[in-house]
Amino acid sequence: MSYSLYLCRFVGGDTAPMDETAIRDVLDPVTLAGTTAADSPGSPEFRELEAEDGGTADVYGGTRGLTFHRFSPGRVLDLVAELARRTGAVVIPGDGPAILTTEAHRRHLPEGFRAEAIVVPPPALTGQAISLVISPQPEVRQRPILPQFPYHPNPVATGSVAASDEPCVCCGQERGWVYTGPVYAADAPAAGICPYCIAFGTAAERYDASFADTVEGDVSQDVVTEILERTPGFTTWQSPHWLTHCGDGTAFLGPAGTKELTAYPDAIDHLRRQCAAWTWPPEQVEDFLGSLDKDGGPTAYLFRCRVCAAHLAYADFT
Ligand SMILES: [Zn+2]
Ligand SMILES: [Zn+2]
């Protein structure tokens, strides 16, 4: 590989020092040779790396930023990932979007990096994840990593995001994924928005759109905005609403039928209580709970509380 990777921490748009101990812990064991700057004795400003798998890299810099030149794929990228995880630094490929470990870091990036940056949470940030971002493989196409949606953790599994090779109708970029759920707006395209435009809030802003109808319960306006405008919605028979618990929005786990709900007795109880509140006789409630179908109505929608992990559900039908 001929390009380079830059690793740096940002606070308020400016570079901030990374933890030197973390850099030493990660790089010293694989440093073959190094030269020390006259003005910063103790810490090398150039290192020749050789990783356990034989991969190599030339590394320049120190706590204010590290540049990996002529790096091999493999273990060297795992080291870059480990440094990013441990220091909270951003990985900036020479050619490709910056990689953040948390959405909270986006606002600290210099302006030019903000919109494009991709969030890869620490457990998922590996050398392999960095490879996906820096070397898309047209032959065997691997999809880019999806943005992180706290209230909709796996939108591919729930059916709200699907693989697509079409450019996004909002940003014009081929992101590899398309949102397939509902869009609530007067003048929004019905289909073709990528999940990044949802995550960044650009689609909501451009089309004055939301992706769910209402948020039920008492949560802060920030949570409501995050759910309605920056989270992929889901397809329902009636207008979808988002459940809340413990003062926060819940995570949507997907549509569910009687079969899928058996693993979530707390969600079934929650549904049973709602049916009882409709003054249905008990037999009718049990018939209803036994007739739920993931693909054809009536359908339940399963959620998990992000605070206490309780499962909740509501159901609707045509
Ligand atoms: Zn887009
Ligand atoms: Zn809860």
Side-chain angles (χ1 to χ4, degrees):
M1 294 188 196
S2 59
Y3 37 77
S4 52
L5 269 178
Y6 184 56
L7 192 73
C8 174
R9 205 162 75 82
F10 290 102
V11 174
D14 290 321
T15 60
M18 293 180 280
D19 176 30
E20 190 177 349
T21 311
I23 295 175
R24 286 189 156 281
D25 284 354
V26 175
L27 295 187
D28 281 0
V30 291
T31 298
L32 278 188
T35 54
T36 304
D39 56 350
S40 69
S43 189
E45 68 159 12
F46 168 72
R47 295 163 181 266
E48 226 180 288
L49 298 193
E50 186 178 307
E52 296 91 322
D53 65 355
T56 57
D58 293 341
V59 185
Y60 299 86
T63 56
R64 284 277 169 185
L66 290 166
T67 305
F68 289 72
H69 269 301
R70 298 188 294 144
F71 56 87
S72 312
R75 179 71 188 137
V76 169
L77 289 180
D78 285 334
L79 298 172
V80 174
E82 187 180 345
L83 278 170
R85 291 195 308 264
R86 285 188 55 175
T87 63
V90 177
V91 181
I92 304 176
D95 173 22
I99 304 169
L100 311 175
T101 49
T102 162
E103 184 58 44
H105 286 166
R106 186 184 304 278
R107 67 188 176 88
H108 289 290
L109 291 177
E111 186 79 51
F113 290 109
R114 268 180 228 160
E116 292 288 308
I118 287 178
V119 177
V120 181
L125 183 57
T126 58
Q128 171 68 14
I130 296 174
S131 300
L132 281 178
V133 176
I134 61 179
S135 51
Q137 295 165 358
E139 297 301 317
V140 184
R141 176 149 184 183
Q142 288 176 295
R143 306 268 158 198
I145 288 154
L146 283 170
Q148 198 187 4
F149 296 106
Y151 297 105
H152 198 152
N154 193 343
V156 177
T158 64
S160 292
V161 168
S164 166
D165 294 330
E166 295 298 312
C168 166
V169 294
C170 180
C171 65
Q173 299 191 44
E174 285 177 31
R175 301 286 203 174
W177 299 103
V178 68
Y179 169 61
T180 57
V183 181
Y184 297 92
D187 279 317
I193 295 173
C194 80
Y196 298 89
C197 282
I198 295 179
F200 303 160
T202 40
E205 194 173 333
R206 170 179 294 188
Y207 306 118
D208 197 15
S210 66
F211 307 100
D213 202 27
T214 49
V215 176
E216 256 194 6
D218 195 14
V219 289
S220 72
Q221 190 54 44
D222 285 351
V223 170
V224 172
T225 304
E226 176 82 22
I227 290 174
L228 297 184
E229 298 179 11
R230 289 172 168 256
T231 299
F234 52 95
T235 304
T236 54
W237 301 107
Q238 308 296 333
S239 303
H241 55 263
W242 217 281
L243 301 185
T244 60
H245 205 248
C246 295
D248 192 4
T250 55
F252 178 61
L253 302 186
T258 305
K259 190 170 85 160
E260 291 78 19
L261 284 178
T262 49
Y264 305 98
D266 45 352
I268 299 175
D269 276 345
H270 183 231
L271 271 175
R272 189 175 280 124
R273 286 198 301 275
Q274 292 166 62
C275 295
W278 300 335
T279 65
W280 285 7
E283 319 81 76
Q284 192 183 349
V285 171
E286 295 313 310
D287 281 353
F288 179 74
L289 293 176
S291 69
L292 295 165
D293 186 333
K294 182 166 149 314
D295 303 307
T299 303
Y301 306 97
L302 179 65
F303 297 82
R304 185 178 54 230
C305 176
R306 285 161 33 86
V307 179
C308 75
H311 292 94
L312 300 94
Y314 79 94
D316 71 358
F317 39 87
T318 49

